[in-house]
């Protein structure tokens, strides 16, 4: 694995700080809590922690509305707590990746107050202000990702400001050189403090059409989709010039040693790979969300892996994601049994995997009654909210799961049925499976660094090889609840089963897989 950077070899684990560990009884997770639980991550075997936003924020979008890019919200602790967290993480060999939210600030950010103070403000063009349409309405038809227009009228100046998300999240104007310089300073502030990189929020949104043309309607829209899907986001995002902005960000990161730039990008593969940038000058890892969006069957997944592998630019490093704080959890999407198979897939594909907290124990979405809803999206567009995938981590079987001594900000799952402590004790648990997979990845460089070769799918069995030097591994995943067989041709040795009850030599010929079973074999 020589020659690979840590972010190529390693595995990223996403912590949603509000929901990881509370230490002061206010029901909300905090940085001290993350520190206290670092050893869980070390035992798990991941390499890096990505923290969702911890900056001072009115929390209209739970930290994705930043009021100060260079601080820590008192809910989470202090800058000193943050420094301690980095030190503790580094002492354990863990990297720390921050969420960077450059597309918009909170309306409470002092920059926005200045910008809003009137047209002559020197920061007026740090945000996106436009005159009303001739009829007095919004400047164009763009919609907010959380429903309604993406424009809010400011009576004092007679102009509208743009917000791709909540009206409390005004979009910054990345065409302003001063704004760009200020944001580069922000990045340096954290890089100087020792962060190992950034996950950049909605990076494909940073530049909008210079002429603010209307987005075209989406003919495939169906009423079960959120409002935003009524239009194709042709002019409001994914503009070619965004790659210049990203090149600048990348240059800032490259001034430091061994840091990583990850971009959050929801785009079809052919556009996604553009974010590696010309000559790989873009993000190191444009998040690949295809496993979240694809139907769970062998041929669809085999096809998408092949397409992705083929689309990568020379030297572009792949990555895979099964879940995050914006998506239904994997265990709820495909069920508990298949979630184990999905874990094996995630951790044996070629490229950097990202694990969402809780997925290592098979946590499912938790029902959140309407009156307890927190997510502003849920309040605007009921049914689309993300609270069910953001519930507190159940560490033990007490009612509040060892997460808090107070009242948790979101309800927990039935902790008696599912918690970390119980899975520690159960040799065949999902947690043990994750540890085994991560250990296997470490001890078999073919998994982290080897070539990928897809096999022809047989029924619902997805199979591929990973090869490095003279080591050749076969991964065979039964994506169905029925037993299955594939042709093995030669003898092989099972290294790991998702059922954690099988290893050793397999006879040549047909390889049998039980229902919902995945195997890693050495050929
Ligand atoms: C993407 C983040 O992941 C999501 O949680 C947030 O609401 C939006 N960007 C806006 O920042
Ligand atoms: Ca707390």
């Amino acid at each position: 694995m020589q020659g690979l950077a840590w972010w190529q070899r390693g595995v990223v684990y996403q912590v949603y700080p509000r929901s990881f560990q509370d230490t002061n009884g206010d029901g909300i997770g905090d940085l001290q809590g993350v520190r206290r639980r670092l050893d869980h991550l070390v035992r798990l075997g991941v390499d890096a922690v990505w923290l969702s936003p911890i900056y001072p924020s009115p929390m209209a979008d739970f930290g994705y509305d930043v009021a100060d890019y260079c601080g820590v919200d008192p809910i989470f602790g202090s800058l000193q707590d943050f420094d301690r967290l980095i030190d503790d993480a580094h002492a354990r060999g863990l990297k720390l990746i921050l969420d960077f939210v450059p597309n918009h600030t909170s309306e409470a950010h002092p920059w926005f107050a200045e910008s809003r103070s009137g047209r002559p403000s020197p920061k007026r063009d740090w945000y996106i202000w436009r005159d009303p349409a001739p009829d007095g309405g919004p400047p164009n038809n763009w919609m907010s990702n959380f429903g309604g227009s993406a424009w809010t009228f400011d009576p004092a100046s007679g102009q509208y400001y743009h917000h791709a998300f909540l009206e409390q999240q005004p979009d910054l104007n990345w065409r302003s050189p001063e704004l760009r310089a200020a944001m580069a300073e922000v990045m340096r502030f954290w890089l100087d403090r020792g962060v190992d990189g950034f996950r950049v929020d909605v990076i494909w949104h940073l530049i909008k059409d210079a002429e603010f043309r209307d987005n075209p309607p989406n003919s495939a829209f169906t009423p079960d989709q959120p409002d935003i899907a009524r239009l194709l986001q042709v002019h409001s995002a994914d503009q070619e010039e965004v790659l210049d902005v990203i090149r600048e960000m990348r240059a800032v990161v490259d001034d430091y040693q061994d840091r990583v730039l990850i971009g959050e990008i929801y785009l079809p593969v052919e556009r996604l790979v553009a974010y590696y940038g010309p000559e790989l000058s873009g993000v190191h890892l444009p998040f690949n969300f295809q496993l979240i969006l694809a139907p769970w069957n062998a041929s669809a997944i085999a096809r998408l892996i092949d397409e992705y592998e083929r689309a990568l630019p020379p030297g572009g490093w792949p990555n895979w994601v099964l879940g995050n704080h914006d998506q239904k959890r994997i265990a709820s999407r495909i069920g508990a049994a298949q979630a184990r198979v999905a874990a094996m897939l995630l951790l044996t594909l070629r490229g950097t995997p990202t694990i969402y907290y809780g997925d290592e124990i098979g946590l499912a979405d938790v029902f959140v009654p309407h009156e307890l809803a927190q997510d502003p999206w849920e309040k605007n567009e009921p049914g689309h909210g993300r609270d069910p995938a953001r519930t507190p981590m159940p560490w033990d079987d007490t009612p509040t799961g060892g997460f808090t001594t107070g009242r948790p900000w979101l309800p927990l799952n039935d902790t008696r049925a599912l918690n970390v402590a119980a899975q520690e004790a159960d040799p065949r648990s999902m947690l043990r499976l994750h540890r085994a997979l991560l250990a296997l990845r470490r001890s078999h460089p073919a998994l982290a660094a080897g070539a990928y070769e897809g096999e022809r799918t047989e029924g619902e069995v997805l199979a591929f090889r990973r090869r490095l030097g003279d080591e050749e591994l076969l991964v065979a995943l039964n994506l169905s609840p029925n037993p299955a067989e594939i042709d093995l041709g030669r003898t092989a040795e099972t290294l790991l089963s998702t059922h954690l009850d099988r290893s050793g030599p397999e006879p040549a010929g047909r390889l049998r897989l039980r229902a919902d079973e995945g195997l890693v074999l050495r050929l």
Side-chain angles (χ1 to χ4, degrees):
M1 296 206 267
Q2 274 156 1
L4 289 189
W6 64 265
W7 52 266
Q8 295 176 306
R9 281 189 314 267
V11 176
V12 179
Y13 181 97
Q14 180 187 358
V15 166
Y16 195 67
R18 290 184 79 83
S19 292
F20 206 54
Q21 177 68 61
D22 176 26
T23 57
N24 63 351
D26 66 357
I28 299 174
D30 41 54
L31 293 182
Q32 289 289 0
V34 180
R35 284 180 75 202
R36 195 182 286 175
R37 295 296 184 181
L38 284 178
D39 286 329
H40 170 73
L41 305 182
V42 172
R43 277 198 300 277
L44 183 58
V46 298
D47 301 85
V49 183
W50 148 33
L51 278 186
S52 279
I54 51 160
Y55 314 102
S57 163
M59 303 288 167
D61 189 20
F62 296 109
Y64 286 95
D65 48 326
V66 178
D68 171 6
Y69 285 109
C70 298
V72 170
D73 195 284
I75 281 248
F76 296 125
S78 63
L79 213 43
Q80 200 182 29
D81 293 327
F82 180 79
D83 290 339
R84 291 199 187 109
L85 172 60
I86 290 213
D87 288 348
D88 285 3
H90 286 170
R92 287 164 174 75
L94 293 169
K95 306 282 186 184
L96 197 89
I97 298 169
L98 269 196
D99 212 311
F100 181 45
V101 190
N103 180 68
H104 42 266
T105 66
S106 162
E107 62 177 349
H109 197 295
W111 293 347
F112 188 62
E114 271 185 62
S115 185
R116 193 176 211 168
S117 69
R119 298 190 192 204
S121 160
K123 289 207 173 53
R124 186 68 171 176
D125 79 336
W126 283 33
Y127 292 82
I128 299 172
W129 293 96
R130 305 285 293 171
D131 288 333
D135 68 357
N140 67 20
N141 72 349
W142 294 358
M143 300 186 78
S144 157
N145 280 273
F146 294 146
S149 171
W151 298 94
T152 290
F153 188 61
D154 175 51
S157 65
Q159 285 191 309
Y160 283 83
Y161 66 87
H162 173 58
H163 49 90
F165 295 89
L166 298 175
E167 67 175 80
Q168 296 95 321
Q169 291 169 293
D171 274 43
L172 287 162
N173 174 22
W174 276 84
R175 292 183 190 272
S176 154
E178 293 95 67
L179 182 270
R180 288 194 196 190
M183 289 303 246
E185 279 310 304
V186 168
M187 294 176 81
R188 287 192 201 99
F189 174 85
W190 293 106
L191 291 163
D192 287 337
R193 283 200 117 77
V195 307
D196 298 289
F198 300 103
R199 171 270 189 188
V200 186
D201 192 62
V202 292
I203 201 167
W204 85 109
H205 269 264
L206 295 182
I207 294 283
K208 342 293 181 193
D209 179 35
E211 295 162 39
F212 293 89
R213 284 169 286 185
D214 276 355
N215 277 327
N218 172 15
S219 57
F221 175 76
T222 53
D224 57 304
Q225 292 178 301
D227 238 19
I228 180 82
R230 290 173 186 278
L231 302 175
L232 299 171
Q233 314 301 305
V234 173
H235 298 302
S236 50
D238 191 28
Q239 304 297 296
E240 215 46 51
E241 300 104 304
V242 76
L243 295 177
D244 300 330
V245 172
I246 298 175
R247 192 182 347 99
E248 287 179 24
M249 284 186 180
R250 172 65 186 275
V252 173
V253 167
D254 283 352
D255 272 344
Y256 296 75
Q257 255 191 358
D258 239 14
R259 315 292 167 103
V260 69
L261 197 61
I262 304 175
E264 186 208 19
I265 302 158
Y266 285 92
L267 287 174
V269 177
E270 66 277 10
R271 283 304 305 156
L272 176 68
V273 294
Y275 286 76
Y276 286 99
E279 258 91 74
L280 301 182
S281 60
V283 292
H284 295 105
L285 302 174
F287 260 151
N288 167 17
F289 297 127
Q290 291 181 88
L291 291 178
I292 295 181
L293 308 169
W296 195 252
N297 67 68
S299 53
I301 294 177
R303 204 174 326 118
L304 80 80
I305 300 169
D306 286 342
E307 276 169 16
Y308 179 62
E309 283 276 349
R310 262 202 308 274
L312 291 170
W317 188 256
N319 77 89
W320 297 95
V321 182
L322 279 180
N324 60 42
H325 62 294
D326 296 327
Q327 305 292 339
K328 210 170 150 77
R329 281 192 183 267
I330 183 74
S332 292
R333 295 203 309 269
I334 62 175
Q338 279 297 313
R340 297 176 75 105
V341 178
M344 183 172 274
L345 175 65
L346 175 72
L347 296 172
T348 57
L349 280 171
R350 191 176 81 91
T352 307
T354 296
I355 298 175
Y356 183 46
Y357 87 96
D359 283 356
E360 78 272 35
I361 54 168
L363 187 60
D365 281 7
V366 175
F367 173 72
V368 178
H370 189 69
E371 62 281 9
L372 295 183
Q374 301 284 335
D375 184 3
W377 193 3
E378 180 65 23
K379 294 178 186 171
N380 286 354
E381 296 189 273
H384 293 293
R386 302 158 293 177
D387 293 327
R390 297 176 173 181
T391 58
M393 185 76 161
W395 298 101
D396 63 34
D397 64 0
T398 58
T400 54
F403 164 71
T404 183
T405 54
R407 200 177 120 81
W409 77 288
L410 277 176
L412 278 86
N413 61 304
D414 176 357
T415 58
R416 286 159 310 177
L418 190 124
N419 69 74
V420 174
Q423 295 204 10
E424 295 262 359
D426 171 2
R428 301 210 175 137
S429 67
M430 180 69 147
L431 179 60
R432 294 293 195 93
L433 172 62
H434 273 85
R435 287 190 192 160
L437 282 164
L438 286 157
L440 196 69
R441 225 183 131 83
R442 254 178 231 286
S443 53
H444 294 272
L447 288 177
Y452 169 89
E453 239 173 77
E455 295 269 305
R456 203 171 50 82
T457 49
E458 288 188 53
E460 273 314 304
V461 180
L462 171 69
F464 52 88
R465 288 169 205 235
R466 303 294 314 280
R467 194 200 312 261
L468 187 70
D470 37 1
E471 179 162 69
E472 192 177 353
L473 303 178
L474 176 73
V475 180
L477 306 170
N478 182 359
L479 269 55
S480 86
N482 309 309
E485 279 186 9
I486 59 165
D487 204 17
L488 193 54
R490 49 175 148 160
T491 58
E493 179 197 354
T494 289
L495 299 176
L496 187 68
S497 160
T498 48
H499 294 21
L500 295 175
D501 61 353
R502 167 173 175 181
S503 64
E506 303 286 345
R510 302 293 286 172
L511 173 72
R512 285 161 190 247
L513 293 149
R514 289 167 288 174
D516 303 304
E517 184 177 33
L519 296 175
V520 181
L521 305 114
R522 195 198 332 247
L523 295 176

